[in-house]
């Protein structure tokens, strides 16, 4: 908390600054007066203001106390000297003995050698450092936290002057990009598939704060209270909407609601108000501090949570700046086909836009577990994340293509590219209609009586379940239970899990669902578990290894599954089993839970089927021991490929190096298929490979009869199956098995072409 004395000092200083700023005259003159005022008020011999110039150089723009001829002469690179250090880290620095600091860079022209202590704060505008404000004293002065806070508040007022373009051209404050108006293709990260063609809408162009300094903090605190109440009401309204009744996006917003009550954050804003800022300036200040410091945070979970605060801050600013005006959020004028471009977004912000007009979302940051990505998936909006500096390269209403499938964005695309995407989109729409018509037709191969191929769906969110019925698939072959775990801020308890699994089974309406137990680690990091630093996370402590080492987690999950499936059939599948002993251990835990439920007198499932994933090649050499112990097996080709070829599936440089259609892989599948048939154990394939028609054809050609694929792949795979002459394929594939080729792709494609297989 700031002491009353400091608060009134800085309020007095802010009042004077306001008079200088409003006083007119040249910007340089105003800046000169400002540094004099600050030095006097803070009892410092020196106050200097450095402004960021093109090329990331900080130039001394005004000083009280240093030699005047150094003004506009002294320049420091970002990172150079203490001033450069403040700018580089966007954080304040207070040193009683500045000259002994290793980063001290002596500039003789300034005459600063006689000043021992130094306090510097960044001048931040948006998320950019646009300058540095420094005070210095001859003595070894220990600057207090309150003094740092005061200087930061002053720096915020100065930020407006720097950003006004009166001191340096506004363009200098922007990162340079010579190609700004040329067509651009930028790669990012696929956060949600699909393609959108539209025009750029920049997410929340900056709100200009007109009033920075306030006379009466009580009035400002009341304004803040009202704005918060307004946000809470808006949240309640959102919760009452039918589409918000359940699903992970509701969880996300529940977490968000908790943020509106976060004491630490609210206190920071209130303190800033007490120093003399208006409510909106205080929100902006805390917001800017958070954003600037965010770049220091590497923990992805924390970064995401910061964005929730950011969303909240934006919303508060909107409320505070709309006060007295009846205008609702200016989203009504959204173009017919809009691609939203933003740095990042909170989960609630997406609801500000009409989803029918949103064709895509492009973010400079974001990750697959970002809350906004989860909500976007629910709304079926393609998302590309981690698109570097996209906001600096795009103008409002620029044509944009958001290619979520390939994680790329085209800005101002040439007409031919635009047309080809529009063509692809309408093709996609046509195909969707064709697939919809296929819904009730069986997936049977085309020859004579034909062979039935089971097509199941992979799912991971409640929202996916709608496709279970509209796609006409046979059931859920893989339910990835970790996704809901990842969207929450803590481990869900048994009751919460039971509720979720029960909903899944209810919505499946009797179609089978295979629940895979928690498969985290590797690239799937749970926000509330500290990931260990591992050199090879894909080969590390993940999946069944974690749940066997933390049996309570496994027990709770299994208990919830047993309860959810009371009176119905339950299928449980364990991931990443590498040796039979692991399966035996997992099964024992399941038996313990079954007994526990029995003793508690709880209803049990009518039947419990236990299966394993086959993702680690070593397990394939243990099938004689394994198969008598399981009710089914499902091959996870994503991990299998990675382990078979020792190729990290998350490393874009090599992840495509080996083809799932390599003869080795196909021979492997044939071997496993034959073994499972010998033991009468149902086998299915649930990796991404199964969802690509050509790959699915190859799998069927070597004896696989059950596939589990993502919802959009169901139609294409069924179409392929229905056009396939299986005996012809089987005899052709026999000739390929011993091929020394890198891949069978070319030959299989040729077969499909020659035999009219619809790929
Ligand atoms: C796989 O590895 O193929 C699989 C289905 O599991 P996941 O992609 O979830 O690791
Ligand atoms: Mg896997």
């Amino acid at each position: 908390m700031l002491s009353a004395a400091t608060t009134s000092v800085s309020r007095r200083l802010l009042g004077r600054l306001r008079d200088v700023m409003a006083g007119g005259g040249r910007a340089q003159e105003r800046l000169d007066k400002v540094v004099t005022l600050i030095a006097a008020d803070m009892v410092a011999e020196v106050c200097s203001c450095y402004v960021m110039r093109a090329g990331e150089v900080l130039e001394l723009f005004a000083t009280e106390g240093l030699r005047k001829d150094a003004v506009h002469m002294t320049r420091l690179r970002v990172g150079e000297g203490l001033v450069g250090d403040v700018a580089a880290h966007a954080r304040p620095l207070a040193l009683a003995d500045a000259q002994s600091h290793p980063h001290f860079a002596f500039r003789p022209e300034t005459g600063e050698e006689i000043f021992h202590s130094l306090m510097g704060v960044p001048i931040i505008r948006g998320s950019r450092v646009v300058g540095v404000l420094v005070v210095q004293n001859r003595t070894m002065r220990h600057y207090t936290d309150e003094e740092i806070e005061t200087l930061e508040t002053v720096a915020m007022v100065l930020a407006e002057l720097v950003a006004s373009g009166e001191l340096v051209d506004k363009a200098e404050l922007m990162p340079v990009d010579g190609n700004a108006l040329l067509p651009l293709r930028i790669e990012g990260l696929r956060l949600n598939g699909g393609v959108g063609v539209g025009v750029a809408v920049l997410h929340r162009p900056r709100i200009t704060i007109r009033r920075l300094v306030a006379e009466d903090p009580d009035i400002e605190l009341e304004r803040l209270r009202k704005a918060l109440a307004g946000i809470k009401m808006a949240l309640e309204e959102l919760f009452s909407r039918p589409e918000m009744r359940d699903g992970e996006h509701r969880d996300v917003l529940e977490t968000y609601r908790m943020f509106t009550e976060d004491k630490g954050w609210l206190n920071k804003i209130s303190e800033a108000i007490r120093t003399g800022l208006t409510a909106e300036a205080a929100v902006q200040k805390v917001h800017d501090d958070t954003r600037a410091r965010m770049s220091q945070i590497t923990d992805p979970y924390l970064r995401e949570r910061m964005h929730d605060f950011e969303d909240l801050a934006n919303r508060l600013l909107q409320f505070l700046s709309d006060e007295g005006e009846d205008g609702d959020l200016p989203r009504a004028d959204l173009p017919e086909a809009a691609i939203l471009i933003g740095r990042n977004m909170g989960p609630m912000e997406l609801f500000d836009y009409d989803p029918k007009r949103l064709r895509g979302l492009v973010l400079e940051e974001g990750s697959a577990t970002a809350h906004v990505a989860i909500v976007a998936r629910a709304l079926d909006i393609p998302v590309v994340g981690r698109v570097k500096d996209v906001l600096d390269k795009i103008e409002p209403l620029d044509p944009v293509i958001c290619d979520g499938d390939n994680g790329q964005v085209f800005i101002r695309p040439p007409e031919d590219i635009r047309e080809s995407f529009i063509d692809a989109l309408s093709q996609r729409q046509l195909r969707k209609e064709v697939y919809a018509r296929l819904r009730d037709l069986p997936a049977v191969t085309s020859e004579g009586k034909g062979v039935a191929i089971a097509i199941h769906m992979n799912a991971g969110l409640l929202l996916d379940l709608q496709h279970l019925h509209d796609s006409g698939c046979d059931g859920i072959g893989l339910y990835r239970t970790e996704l809901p775990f990842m969207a929450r801020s803590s481990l869900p308890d048994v009751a919460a899990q039971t509720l979720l699994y029960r909903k899944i089974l209810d919505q499946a309406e009797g179609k089978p669902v295979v629940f895979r137990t928690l498969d985290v680690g590797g690239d799937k990091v749970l926000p509330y578990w500290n990931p260990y630093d591992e050199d090879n996370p894909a080969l590390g402590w993940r999946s069944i290894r974690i749940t066997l080492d933390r049996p309570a987690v496994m027990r709770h999950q299994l208990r919830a599954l047993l309860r959810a499936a009371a009176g119905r059939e339950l299928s449980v599948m364990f991931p990443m089993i590498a040796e039979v002993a692991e399966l035996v251990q997992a099964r024992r835990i399941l038996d313990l839970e079954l007994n526990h439920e029995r003793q508690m007198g709880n209803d049990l499932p009518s039947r419990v089927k236990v299966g394993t994933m086959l993702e680690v090649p070593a397990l394939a050499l243990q099938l004689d021991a394994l198969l008598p112990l399981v009710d089914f097996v499902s091959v996870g080709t994503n991990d299998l490929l990675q382990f078979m070829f020792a190729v990290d599936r998350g490393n874009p440089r090599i992840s495509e190096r080996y083809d799932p259609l390599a003869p080795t892989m196909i021979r492997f599948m044939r071997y496993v298929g034959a073994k499972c048939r010998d033991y009468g154990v149902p086998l299915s394939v649930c990796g991404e490979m199964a969802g690509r028609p050509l790959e699915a054809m190859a799998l069927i050609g070597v004896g696989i009869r059950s596939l589990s694929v993502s919802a959009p792949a169901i139609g294409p795979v069924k179409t392929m199956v229905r056009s396939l002459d299986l005996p012809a394929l089987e005899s052709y594939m026999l000739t390929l098995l011993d091929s020394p080729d890198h891949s069978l792709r070319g030959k299989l494609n040729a077969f499909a072409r020659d035999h009219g297989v619809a790929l």
Side-chain angles (χ1 to χ4, degrees):
M1 272 300 223
L2 294 184
S3 72
T6 346
T7 306
S8 68
V9 167
S10 71
R11 201 171 318 141
R12 189 185 61 210
L13 174 57
L14 280 179
R16 289 184 182 156
L17 285 180
R18 182 188 48 193
D19 295 342
V20 172
M21 298 290 229
R26 284 175 49 231
Q28 179 70 52
E29 284 164 15
R30 274 180 278 150
L31 187 63
D32 290 338
K33 282 191 196 150
V34 166
V35 290
T36 313
L37 255 179
I38 300 171
D41 205 276
M42 299 197 76
V43 200
E45 277 103 24
V46 175
C47 174
S48 313
C49 178
Y50 293 80
V51 175
M52 189 74 81
R53 311 256 8 204
E56 301 276 280
V57 170
L58 291 151
E59 180 176 310
L60 179 65
F61 250 71
T63 185
E64 167 65 31
L66 296 185
R67 286 180 32 195
K68 295 279 188 224
D69 47 6
V71 170
H72 299 302
M73 299 297 292
T74 294
R75 292 176 147 221
L76 291 151
R77 275 177 288 108
V78 169
E80 183 187 2
L82 298 174
V83 170
D85 190 84
V86 170
H89 297 102
R91 57 149 195 242
L93 201 62
L95 302 165
D97 183 8
Q99 294 181 15
S100 65
H101 192 280
H103 288 174
F104 181 76
F106 177 53
R107 287 301 157 95
E109 73 275 13
T110 61
E112 67 181 329
E113 61 275 20
I114 51 174
F115 302 107
H116 284 99
S117 47
L118 175 147
M119 163 164 71
V121 298
I123 303 175
I124 296 169
R125 172 69 194 215
S127 55
R128 294 208 170 91
V129 175
V130 294
V132 174
L133 183 63
V134 177
V135 295
Q136 288 172 280
N137 281 78
R138 275 176 201 267
T139 55
M140 290 207 185
R141 173 168 168 185
H142 288 274
Y143 300 100
T144 62
D145 287 349
E146 287 78 9
E147 285 166 333
I148 297 175
E149 187 82 14
T150 300
L151 198 63
E152 282 185 316
T153 307
V154 173
M156 181 172 170
V157 178
L158 273 183
E160 300 305 311
L161 181 63
V162 176
S164 68
E166 294 171 82
L167 289 170
V168 293
D169 195 84
K170 269 189 188 168
E172 273 200 51
L173 299 171
M174 296 288 179
V176 248
D177 177 18
N179 294 329
L181 291 171
L182 295 176
L184 279 176
R185 188 189 77 92
I186 322 181
E187 291 202 1
L189 199 69
R190 170 200 163 124
L191 297 187
N192 192 31
V195 171
V197 179
V199 293
V201 170
L202 304 197
H203 172 59
R204 202 175 305 283
R206 213 183 149 72
I207 297 163
T208 333
I209 298 176
R210 288 187 193 83
R211 219 164 47 90
L212 284 164
V213 186
E215 294 293 337
D216 185 347
D218 290 336
I219 296 180
E220 299 307 306
L221 287 168
E222 178 56 19
R223 290 181 63 223
L224 176 70
R225 199 195 55 74
K226 273 201 185 141
L228 273 167
I231 289 180
K232 286 187 193 163
M233 258 173 61
L235 264 169
E236 293 311 322
E237 188 277 320
L238 207 52
F239 276 116
S240 66
R241 294 191 197 172
E243 72 266 25
M244 295 304 294
R245 218 166 301 134
D246 46 32
E248 288 72 16
H249 47 310
R250 187 181 170 100
D251 284 349
V252 163
L253 291 181
E254 288 280 10
T255 322
Y256 182 88
R257 172 150 58 183
M258 280 166 26
F259 282 107
T260 61
E261 278 149 26
D262 187 279
K263 292 272 182 305
W265 185 71
L266 292 174
N267 276 346
K268 271 195 213 152
I269 299 177
S270 309
E271 278 179 16
I273 289 178
R274 284 193 202 95
T275 66
L277 293 179
T278 56
E280 53 270 46
V283 172
Q284 182 73 57
K285 176 175 184 297
V286 174
H287 182 36
D288 282 350
D289 287 353
T290 318
R291 281 166 73 169
R293 279 169 209 170
M294 210 158 62
S295 56
Q296 320 268 318
I297 295 175
T298 48
D299 183 282
Y301 175 68
L302 282 182
R303 281 177 74 102
E304 285 310 331
R305 299 301 71 79
M306 294 287 227
H307 287 305
D308 287 355
F309 278 119
E310 191 169 345
D311 185 6
L312 205 52
N314 275 328
R315 202 154 285 272
L316 269 178
L317 285 177
Q318 205 107 38
F319 265 92
L320 288 164
S321 57
D322 287 350
E323 243 175 327
E325 298 166 23
D326 61 354
D328 203 346
L329 300 175
R331 308 299 183 211
D333 50 4
L334 198 66
E336 201 48 56
I339 309 268
L340 269 189
I341 317 280
R343 212 164 55 77
N344 207 332
M345 242 194 204
M348 203 176 154
E349 289 177 296
L350 211 51
F351 288 100
D352 288 344
Y353 300 88
D354 177 358
K356 284 191 236 48
R357 293 178 175 216
L358 278 188
R359 298 288 183 272
L361 173 62
V362 176
L363 298 173
E364 288 191 350
E365 300 183 358
S367 65
T369 55
H371 286 163
V372 68
I374 294 173
V375 175
R377 249 168 254 151
L379 299 174
D380 198 19
I381 297 168
V383 188
V384 182
R386 307 263 177 89
V387 184
K388 208 163 169 284
D389 299 331
V390 63
L391 279 171
D392 298 326
K393 296 178 173 141
I394 203 161
E395 295 291 327
L397 300 182
D398 271 351
V400 184
I401 297 167
C402 169
D403 177 3
D405 289 338
N406 300 300
Q408 56 178 349
V409 179
F410 294 85
I411 300 171
R412 300 173 289 273
E415 206 40 42
D416 53 337
I417 291 197
R418 213 179 114 76
E419 270 167 18
S420 66
F421 270 95
I422 289 175
D423 275 358
L425 264 178
S426 53
Q427 291 290 338
R428 192 188 278 245
Q429 193 49 39
L430 280 177
R431 257 180 279 137
K432 259 193 183 165
E433 286 158 19
V434 173
Y435 299 147
R437 271 183 258 130
L438 272 184
R439 206 187 83 142
D440 299 318
L441 299 177
V444 176
T445 54
S446 69
E447 77 286 350
K449 258 176 69 200
V451 171
I453 306 294
I455 303 181
H456 291 87
M457 186 182 107
N458 293 344
L461 291 171
L462 267 178
L463 296 153
D464 295 329
L465 281 151
Q466 77 196 53
H467 303 301
L468 180 58
H469 304 296
D470 62 28
S471 68
C473 71
D474 298 304
I476 295 183
L478 166 66
Y479 196 96
R480 291 179 161 105
T481 57
E482 56 277 2
L483 295 185
F485 280 70
M486 293 165 83
R488 288 167 185 255
S489 52
S490 61
L491 204 66
D493 58 17
V494 176
Q497 289 190 59
T498 308
L499 208 67
L500 173 66
Y501 303 145
R502 189 174 291 139
K503 269 188 204 154
I504 295 166
L505 287 169
D506 289 349
Q507 291 186 22
E509 295 173 3
K511 285 193 177 183
V513 179
V514 175
F515 288 96
R516 179 174 73 182
T517 62
L518 200 59
D519 183 30
V520 292
D523 63 334
K524 290 184 242 170
V525 181
L526 282 191
Y528 35 87
W529 271 1
N530 267 344
Y532 288 87
D533 247 344
E534 295 182 308
D535 286 343
N536 292 303
L539 305 181
W541 194 56
R542 52 176 288 207
S543 195
I544 195 79
R545 299 168 187 182
I546 294 183
T547 45
L548 288 179
D549 292 355
R550 297 276 183 277
V553 175
M554 171 96 102
R555 287 190 69 157
H556 289 170
Q557 187 174 34
L558 292 172
R559 193 175 304 167
L561 284 168
L562 290 170
R563 289 183 184 169
R568 315 183 249 206
E569 185 171 290
L570 172 67
S571 296
V572 179
M573 174 159 78
F574 297 107
M576 249 201 95
I577 297 285
E579 56 174 14
V580 179
E582 284 171 338
L583 178 91
V584 171
Q585 209 183 332
R587 213 197 149 121
R588 205 172 290 141
I589 297 178
L590 176 62
D591 289 337
L592 276 177
E593 278 309 312
L594 265 167
N595 278 336
H596 176 263
E597 287 304 289
R598 209 172 276 127
Q599 276 162 12
M600 300 268 296
N602 289 339
D603 281 348
L604 297 177
S606 56
R607 178 170 179 204
V608 180
K609 288 195 194 168
V610 178
T612 178
M613 288 198 73
L614 198 167
E615 305 179 89
V616 183
L619 195 63
L621 297 178
Q622 303 165 61
L623 290 175
D624 291 316
L626 176 81
L627 293 173
L629 304 180
V630 291
D631 298 308
F632 62 93
V633 173
S634 187
V635 182
T637 50
N638 308 339
D639 274 312
L640 179 66
L641 192 77
Q642 130 163 304
F643 298 134
M644 184 112 89
F645 287 102
V647 62
D648 182 351
R649 73 192 243 195
N651 178 343
R653 266 170 88 172
I654 47 165
S655 59
E656 308 281 310
R657 188 177 180 104
Y658 302 97
D659 194 332
L661 288 177
T664 328
M665 188 80 171
I666 299 304
R667 260 202 322 269
F668 182 97
M669 301 303 300
R670 181 168 182 262
Y671 167 78
V672 175
K675 273 283 186 197
C676 287
R677 249 191 317 281
D678 287 351
Y679 281 87
V681 172
L683 171 71
S684 149
V685 178
C686 66
E688 297 304 308
M689 175 180 183
R692 291 192 283 265
L694 184 70
E695 281 85 335
M697 180 187 94
L699 292 169
I700 294 168
V702 292
I704 305 294
R705 295 291 176 264
S706 170
L707 305 168
S708 189
V709 306
S710 66
I714 295 170
V717 170
K718 200 184 225 185
T719 308
M720 179 280 292
V721 169
R722 290 176 56 82
S723 64
L724 177 64
D725 176 350
L726 186 53
L729 175 68
E730 281 176 333
S731 44
Y732 178 57
M733 286 203 65
L734 278 179
T735 68
L736 302 180
L737 291 172
D738 293 318
S739 148
D741 294 352
H742 163 73
S743 163
L744 302 178
R745 188 167 297 276
K747 289 180 176 143
L748 289 170
N749 255 322
F751 173 89
R753 222 179 17 249
D754 296 348
H755 292 78
V757 184
L759 292 181

